[in-house]
Amino acid sequence: MTAQRSYDAVIVGGGHNGLVAAAYLARAGRTVLVLERLGSTGGAAVSTRPFAGVDARLSRYSYLVSLLPPKIVRELGIRFAVRKRSISSYTPKGDRGLLVGGGPGRTRASFAALTGSDREYEAWQAFYGRTGQLAERVFPTLTEPLPTRDELRARIDDETAWRMLFEQPIGVAVEETFADDLVRGVVLTDALIGTFADAHDPTLLQNRCFLYHVIGGGTGDWDVPVGGMGALTDALADAARAAGAEIRTGHEATGIETDGTRAEITYRTADGEGTVAAGHVLVNASPQALAALLGETPPPPAEGAQLKVNMLLTRLPRLRDRSVDPREAFAGTFHIAEGYEQLAAAYAEAAAGRLPSTPPSEIYCHSLTDPSILGPDLAERGHQTLTLFGLHAPARLFTTDNDSARGALLKATLAALDAVLDEPLTDCLALDAEGRPCIEAKTPLDLERELRLPGGHIFHRDLSFPYAQESTGRWGVETIHPNVLLCGAGAVRGGGVSGIPGHNAAMAALGR
């Protein structure tokens, strides 16, 4: 084919990282084209109305914002805001529970009521004080050229923190620091979001996941995107277009040919095929997709490990723990079956090829913090959204019969939730225009089919520590082809809704 037009940069994929890269490059005066397979931009960071005839715009696949640097929001002039959650977390245990938030006095009292002393609260304060200091030092490095391991260690300047997170399994620190099983479990969950691992996995996969969950924004806070996740990607698309980038939806890239200096990208649309030339190609897709586009050997298979459930309720359910208002309990992260031993048991079952009998999961209610995602009538009548993230649900459990396994796991997950409620959750579910309950569940295989996440892995592949390793390049986005860059979640320092790989790929393309 002969190229129809040439651009300084072509970006394959219009997810949030691709849009960040497009905005930076266009603002630097480069000609930029974004090719997006779907009919709209946003990728996994979108808001949709999943229930027929119901005016509730849910963040369908990704829920909260922590890793997006204020630097990117400021430099791109994005009109986007987040709100703090009033409660950090609530973890029920029978007819009582652990509430973290609402002020230090209330948190201390909740720890004491659960454990019988102040010991666990004081250990909690010391532990997260240490991770908070680490976050302040590590987070700014994510939008800088990759430091070496020794440079990052020197920057952290805390040998205890370094050993805890970078050298020994996180389970060691959890067990040495905390005595209570429930408290241990709440701490460990940050190491398991979208990651199938044991607390003592020698590969430290769980440590890498934990690190990314406690460094966001330099604080570790996970905030609610006002207007839903789609508000962020819509604002990024606006910023890219305002800077001069061209965005073509319904354009699926099918191949990349490059000599290291110039590249040709073939694509197809509903009307046929085409080709376009570029100086740089930035691929906002998985490493597997990048290999396919280049006709190269793909990296090892990835495997996601989560169940995602979206719900709309007519009201929040009553809790067995009458000391906590449901509006507080569900405003933060509501932990279900996430005691330390429960997490270990669920992992062992899944590793043996069985669905966890008591699946661990966590829920939060977006609409308590940001009711703008609900239509006025729903908001007035007191409707609320719930989004659930289930742990230890690796893709391998769904390969034989995805539909049956999804149904069985959803049933067990809701049963685990009902065990701490004073009424069945199903009694609170809203109905759509056709009389069906407003609940949908997504397995890793569903996410692979809908979003092309390899193995349903929400980070595209296992996370990496944020320092230079063999063949990572200056920014962690480079490939063996000098003018082809990876700007998706599979880049070093990728994963989560952050825009960081998009920023770093743009900096690499600009030679900075």
Side-chain angles (χ1 to χ4, degrees):
M1 294 182 179
T2 301
Q4 297 175 352
R5 187 176 172 188
S6 179
Y7 293 82
D8 293 324
V10 168
I11 297 171
V12 175
H16 78 282
N17 280 309
L19 297 172
V20 166
Y24 270 107
L25 292 171
R27 287 168 68 90
R30 304 299 196 266
T31 55
V32 179
L33 171 66
V34 178
L35 299 175
E36 167 52 45
R37 172 178 64 94
L38 299 175
S40 59
T41 56
V46 293
S47 298
T48 59
R49 292 177 174 82
F51 307 121
V54 179
D55 190 13
R57 196 164 183 263
L58 278 64
S59 299
R60 196 170 199 179
Y61 304 109
S62 54
Y63 305 140
L64 294 165
V65 175
S66 177
L67 292 164
L68 175 65
K71 163 189 169 75
I72 291 178
V73 176
R74 182 178 64 253
E75 290 180 346
L76 297 183
I78 303 169
R79 298 175 61 86
F80 170 73
V82 296
R83 288 181 186 160
K84 299 292 181 186
R85 298 187 291 174
S86 58
I87 297 295
S88 177
S89 69
Y90 170 73
T91 308
K93 184 178 182 180
D95 58 0
R96 57 180 178 167
L98 177 65
L99 185 76
V100 179
R106 193 169 180 201
T107 301
R108 178 188 288 273
S110 185
F111 269 90
L114 178 74
T115 67
S117 75
D118 286 339
R119 181 202 178 279
E120 294 294 85
Y121 173 75
E122 291 168 357
W124 179 280
Q125 291 295 96
F127 183 86
Y128 283 107
R130 171 160 268 132
T131 64
Q133 290 179 346
L134 180 141
E136 291 176 358
R137 297 166 185 174
V138 173
F139 190 68
T141 71
L142 301 186
T143 49
E144 299 171 358
L146 274 169
T148 66
R149 179 182 170 94
D150 288 343
E151 287 170 344
L152 186 63
R153 185 173 190 165
R155 188 149 177 173
I156 290 172
D157 193 26
D158 181 338
E159 284 303 305
T160 299
W162 179 266
R163 183 175 62 256
M164 180 177 82
L165 287 179
F166 293 87
E167 293 187 348
Q168 65 186 20
I170 190 66
V172 174
V174 172
E175 291 170 18
E176 288 179 350
T177 306
F178 304 100
D180 184 84
D181 179 84
L182 192 72
V183 176
R184 285 178 171 181
V186 173
V187 175
L188 182 63
T189 56
D190 278 338
L192 305 176
I193 301 295
T195 299
F196 187 57
D198 180 72
H200 291 276
D201 191 320
T203 69
L204 305 188
L205 174 59
Q206 73 283 23
N207 289 44
R208 287 171 258 158
C209 182
F210 185 86
L211 181 71
Y212 281 88
H213 279 88
V214 299
I215 62 173
T219 64
D221 290 344
W222 286 79
D223 300 327
V224 177
V226 176
M229 200 62 78
L232 170 60
T233 45
D234 288 348
L236 287 170
D238 290 343
R241 290 190 179 98
E246 182 181 346
I247 299 175
R248 297 185 195 172
T249 56
H251 283 60
E252 180 181 3
T254 55
I256 299 172
E257 292 187 7
T258 180
D259 61 8
T261 303
R262 300 292 296 170
E264 284 196 358
I265 304 92
T266 54
Y267 61 87
R268 61 173 166 242
T269 70
D271 299 322
E273 295 187 341
T275 184
V276 64
H280 278 92
V281 185
L282 284 68
V283 179
N284 180 28
S286 69
Q288 282 84 351
L290 172 61
L293 288 169
L294 290 165
E296 297 175 350
T297 302
E303 182 182 39
Q306 67 285 317
L307 178 74
K308 286 178 174 274
V309 183
N310 298 317
M311 295 171 265
L312 179 69
L313 311 183
T314 58
R315 56 182 171 80
L316 293 174
R318 297 186 301 271
L319 305 176
R320 287 181 61 189
D321 179 2
R322 297 301 180 88
S323 70
V324 178
D325 186 330
R327 294 180 64 85
E328 290 187 311
F330 286 102
T333 300
F334 188 112
H335 296 279
I336 306 158
E338 290 190 332
Y340 199 65
E341 293 303 323
Q342 287 176 310
L343 289 168
Y347 174 80
E349 287 180 292
R354 302 188 301 273
L355 292 171
S357 52
T358 305
S361 62
E362 42 203 59
I363 290 178
Y364 100 101
C365 177
H366 183 124
S367 51
L368 283 171
T369 304
D370 170 35
S372 71
I373 65 170
L374 298 175
D377 179 59
L378 294 179
E380 184 177 347
R381 287 190 284 147
H383 283 55
Q384 303 287 356
T385 63
L386 284 186
T387 51
L388 180 149
F389 193 104
L391 277 59
H392 289 334
R396 70 190 78 165
L397 301 181
F398 302 90
T399 53
T400 300
D401 187 338
N402 185 46
D403 290 343
S404 294
R406 184 199 307 111
L409 186 58
L410 177 60
K411 181 179 179 180
T413 298
L414 295 182
L417 173 58
D418 282 347
V420 298
L421 300 180
D422 204 32
E423 60 182 324
L425 179 73
T426 52
D427 287 358
C428 303
L429 286 172
L431 301 178
D432 69 11
E434 298 176 12
R436 297 170 299 196
C438 290
I439 182 169
E440 65 168 8
K442 305 287 184 181
T443 71
L445 300 190
D446 296 327
L447 297 181
E448 182 174 51
R449 183 185 66 252
E450 295 172 14
L451 300 173
R452 296 193 177 175
L453 300 179
H457 202 305
I458 60 173
F459 306 134
H460 289 187
R461 61 178 170 185
D462 292 341
L463 293 166
S464 302
F465 282 123
Y467 52 69
Q469 298 153 55
E470 185 178 356
S471 303
T472 54
R474 176 174 169 79
W475 286 96
V477 298
E478 294 83 352
T479 72
I480 61 172
H481 307 285
N483 66 333
V484 179
L485 304 169
L486 180 65
C487 72
V492 178
R493 305 182 290 188
V497 177
S498 72
I500 291 168
H503 168 276
N504 292 345
M507 296 304 105
L510 293 170
R512 297 181 182 171

